[in-house]
Amino acid sequence: MAPFILLLAFFLALILLVIIFITYSIIWIPYKIQRQFYRQGIKGPGYHPIYGNTPEFKQEFDRTYTKPVGSFSHDIVHRLDPPYHKWTALYGKTVLFWQGIVPWIILSEPEMLKEVYLNKSGHIVRGKISPPVDLLFGQGLFNLGGDKWSLHRKVANPAFMIDQVKSWIPEVVDSVEMVVKKWEDEIEERNETEVEVMQEFRLLSSEILSRTAFGSSYGEGKHIFELEDQQAKLVLKGLRTAYIPGFRFLPTHDNRIRWKIERKIRSLITKLIINKDQEEVGNSKSLLNFLLNGGLPFEEVIDECQAFYFAGKEAVTILMTWTIVLLSMHQDWQTKAREEVFRVWKTNKEFPNADTLNDLKVVSLIINEVLRLYPPVPTTFREASKDMKVKNVNVPAGTKFYLPIAAVHHDTELWGEDATEFNPQRFLDPRKHLVSFSPFGLGSRTCIGQNFAVMEGKIILATLLKHFTFRLSPSYVHAPVMFLTVAPQFGAQILVSKISS
Ligand code: HEM
């Protein structure tokens, strides 16, 4: 009997310990943190055990994204990020909300944003957004921290220096010319053709990335891109559900698919590298060359390739999509930009090249204004790795910061009453605050690919304006949504006509 009682007592003690642990981490700690923030005047929708505000988060998105869209307005934050819109209206510019048991602080006060972006203490890190995101970016730059991040960034940085990026111009030009040829062939049969430009730009930026960063062709990386797109959809689903620690290790249906896709992506990247002619890799100016020769272990090179395959194409696709949509809405700016392109091109037949890109002032203003109104990456994140102070607010370790790039870009206090209007000219005036325009983030974790992205954007736009005119198709519905990036929910259907010689 004695051993039975002992066993029973052991189990009871175990159950008690589990109850204490759960009560402590799911109830005691979150409410304690919430009280601490409330006392400092930072309010929010309130913590709910286990799920936090995740169901509300999901409901807000579902409700908005199923609503019809009326106009072509650029006043889109309420639609892009409905929880942000609702909570900041109720609780002010700094809001506490909960993803499961994890506290998040929305920061839209410029000085607080600046402090977080530019903090030098080393205690504000990127942190993990949610475990599914690891599968998309692997253990690449976006997800790394500490010494490992410093080493990877040091290895990858030279690939994105301005001179190196300029050396990729011929590959970018060749890739865009392929699109020009394709559209011209389609137009040949009719006077005009309807193009879903997001899909076209996804293929184009994949081709450009393959040729410049990986020294291969879209054909070779096609399967990787397709798998990354599937993974992105599953990641998005994961982000909108409650974060329960340890859940990612359970073999649920979605998790099993995620793991399978990840294994496939890694094995395809490995094959792509191994099958490359080693001499060719050594001589090439591709990102892959920098990664392979930078002293990183092979597995870490795979991680970086995985991250770059996604990060390098998606945001550029979105930037170009909105650029063409906005120029179709604002024909006056389309005409101004085309006039500039013809002016610069007339005096330089080798167009576009590194020198003439600098002469495209109107094109640059337009790209900036598109990045402001429709920033492809609408939010970024940081985490406090230690108890710390941000301005005058005490923040406990583990708190995450939600940095709403799109909302700040639409803030009337920073951009004036016409903040939601398309007016590229505004970029001729000095900025009101450092953080007012941050499509590539800010500080040490700023986007490594920004020189490349802007160069790509200018070449694509200038080349297309040289050959075609654009207007919105009657089938286009203006419905921007936040699907990891700021995407047009129902695609971007554009009527493309050829400019007569
Ligand atoms: C219009 C195009 C792009 C936009 C708007 C964009 C935006 C961003 C943003 C907002 C971040 C986070 C910055 C922060 O948290 O402060 C980021 C990070 C990053 N981006 Fe981009 N990006 C673009 C294109 C690219 C391209 C072309 C590449 C590579 C070929 C790239 C690679 C990365 C990487 C690796 C990171 C993580 C950097 C780190 O944490 O060290 N991006 N990007």
Side-chain angles (χ1 to χ4, degrees):
M1 199 63 182
F4 173 72
I5 291 175
L6 219 61
L7 206 64
L8 189 69
F10 174 75
F11 273 118
L12 284 177
L14 201 67
I15 289 169
L16 193 70
L17 269 177
V18 171
I19 291 172
I20 292 173
F21 177 74
I22 289 177
T23 315
Y24 181 72
S25 52
I26 292 182
I27 300 191
W28 177 262
I29 292 282
Y31 280 116
K32 186 178 140 217
I33 292 176
Q34 181 160 283
R35 272 196 309 277
Q36 186 184 334
F37 278 118
Y38 278 16
R39 271 201 300 271
Q40 299 181 85
I42 294 170
K43 300 270 160 51
Y47 174 70
H48 301 284
I50 303 179
Y51 292 108
N53 305 116
T54 314
E56 206 179 330
F57 211 77
K58 192 174 170 319
Q59 267 164 25
E60 288 294 326
F61 276 106
D62 290 348
R63 202 176 16 241
T64 308
Y65 290 177
T66 46
K67 263 195 246 159
V69 189
S71 68
F72 286 162
S73 164
H74 305 310
D75 187 2
I76 56 168
V77 173
H78 62 97
R79 191 179 157 80
L80 274 191
D81 195 348
Y84 168 90
H85 183 71
K86 181 177 169 187
W87 293 337
T88 49
L90 286 170
Y91 308 109
K93 284 199 158 183
T94 312
V95 177
L96 168 70
F97 75 96
W98 296 84
Q99 187 192 31
I101 58 171
V102 180
W104 280 78
I105 300 289
I106 295 174
L107 292 179
S108 29
E109 192 60 58
E111 280 303 307
M112 284 191 93
L113 277 166
K114 185 173 154 196
E115 171 113 357
V116 167
Y117 273 128
L118 303 184
N119 192 286
K120 294 256 183 320
S121 71
H123 304 320
I124 293 190
V125 295
R126 161 71 49 62
K128 298 256 181 269
I129 307 169
S130 174
V133 177
D134 291 1
L135 294 173
L136 204 52
F137 292 103
Q139 288 308 302
L141 271 177
F142 195 87
N143 269 337
L144 292 178
D147 292 344
K148 209 166 188 184
W149 170 78
S150 306
L151 174 64
H152 281 224
R153 183 99 192 191
K154 209 168 121 199
V155 168
N157 259 340
F160 294 99
M161 301 309 272
I162 200 78
D163 283 338
Q164 164 67 23
V165 163
K166 279 183 187 167
S167 74
W168 289 340
I169 290 179
E171 276 93 351
V172 180
V173 173
D174 279 359
S175 309
V176 192
E177 290 294 348
M178 279 163 60
V179 174
V180 170
K181 171 88 185 52
K182 185 178 164 206
W183 290 2
E184 279 181 345
D185 287 349
E186 277 176 36
I187 294 171
E188 190 84 341
E189 292 139 32
R190 293 151 256 169
N191 254 346
E192 188 173 55
T193 188
E194 180 173 306
V195 178
E196 200 289 275
V197 289
M198 184 161 65
Q199 191 49 30
E200 292 288 310
F201 288 136
R202 187 159 284 129
L203 293 177
L204 173 60
S205 50
S206 302
E207 172 76 32
I208 293 174
L209 189 74
S210 299
R211 294 172 75 160
T212 52
F214 296 103
S216 59
S217 71
Y218 171 65
E220 284 181 80
K222 184 170 182 263
H223 202 179
I224 301 174
F225 288 119
E226 287 165 356
L227 288 167
E228 295 252 6
D229 287 346
Q230 282 178 35
Q231 192 74 299
K233 288 191 185 112
L234 287 167
V235 165
L236 187 72
K237 197 170 161 195
L239 281 175
R240 301 253 167 91
T241 47
Y243 171 52
I244 301 169
F247 194 71
R248 68 186 144 141
F249 300 114
L250 297 181
T252 59
H253 176 256
D254 281 358
N255 277 347
R256 274 184 287 125
I257 302 180
R258 286 180 185 122
W259 299 335
K260 197 168 154 198
I261 295 178
E262 209 218 356
R263 278 197 304 273
K264 264 194 175 166
I265 292 176
R266 296 184 72 84
S267 110
L268 284 168
I269 293 175
T270 309
K271 270 196 207 133
L272 196 129
I273 298 177
I274 289 173
N275 288 343
K276 274 205 168 311
D277 177 340
Q278 290 315 304
E279 204 178 320
E280 184 196 321
V281 172
N283 293 332
S284 97
K285 49 198 176 49
S286 66
L287 165 70
L288 182 60
N289 181 34
F290 284 93
L291 295 175
L292 285 169
N293 294 324
L296 300 180
F298 190 70
E299 278 302 304
E300 293 180 23
V301 173
I302 306 279
D303 281 319
E304 282 307 342
C305 290
Q306 189 182 346
F308 277 107
Y309 260 109
F310 184 73
K313 77 152 206 308
E314 205 46 38
V316 175
T317 300
I318 296 296
L319 167 62
M320 293 325 299
T321 301
W322 289 118
T323 304
I324 295 301
V325 169
L326 266 66
L327 288 184
S328 301
M329 289 178 185
H330 302 277
Q331 291 286 333
D332 51 338
W333 280 100
Q334 188 181 143
T335 308
K336 267 188 215 172
R338 186 172 298 104
E339 280 169 4
E340 175 181 80
V341 167
F342 277 102
R343 220 172 26 247
V344 175
W345 182 37
K346 212 170 139 189
T347 50
N348 195 321
K349 296 290 169 224
E350 295 295 306
F351 175 82
N353 65 20
D355 298 329
T356 53
L357 283 183
N358 282 336
D359 296 334
L360 297 175
K361 307 287 183 223
V362 177
V363 166
S364 299
L365 293 178
I366 290 172
I367 286 181
N368 275 349
E369 184 66 341
V370 176
L371 284 168
R372 184 184 74 82
L373 284 170
Y374 295 80
V377 181
T379 51
T380 187
F381 312 89
R382 297 289 189 271
E383 181 178 328
S385 65
K386 273 194 169 179
D387 288 354
M388 62 186 309
K389 244 185 151 100
V390 176
K391 284 278 155 208
N392 49 357
V393 178
N394 291 309
V395 175
T399 302
K400 302 207 181 242
F401 301 107
Y402 187 93
L403 314 177
I405 296 174
V408 172
H409 286 185
H410 287 243
D411 187 340
T412 48
E413 282 174 30
L414 293 168
W415 290 99
E417 283 312 310
D418 69 344
T420 57
E421 276 163 36
F422 181 76
N423 174 19
Q425 198 108 8
R426 71 175 80 241
F427 278 92
L428 293 174
D429 300 332
R431 247 178 258 174
K432 233 182 177 169
H433 196 284
L434 178 76
V435 302
S436 59
F437 184 61
S438 55
F440 297 102
L442 282 172
S444 59
R445 299 301 297 245
T446 188
C447 174
I448 196 170
Q450 58 183 292
N451 290 333
F452 179 38
V454 170
M455 182 270 282
E456 239 184 300
K458 285 168 93 173
I459 294 177
I460 297 174
L461 182 57
T463 310
L464 294 181
L465 285 169
K466 213 171 92 179
H467 291 90
F468 306 106
T469 60
F470 304 98
R471 62 192 182 94
L472 288 182
S473 160
S475 56
Y476 173 72
V477 176
H478 191 53
V481 284
M482 188 156 80
F483 287 163
L484 285 178
T485 50
V486 176
Q489 190 173 359
F490 308 108
Q493 298 77 8
I494 301 289
L495 295 173
V496 182
S497 306
K498 194 166 155 24
I499 292 175
S500 62
S501 54

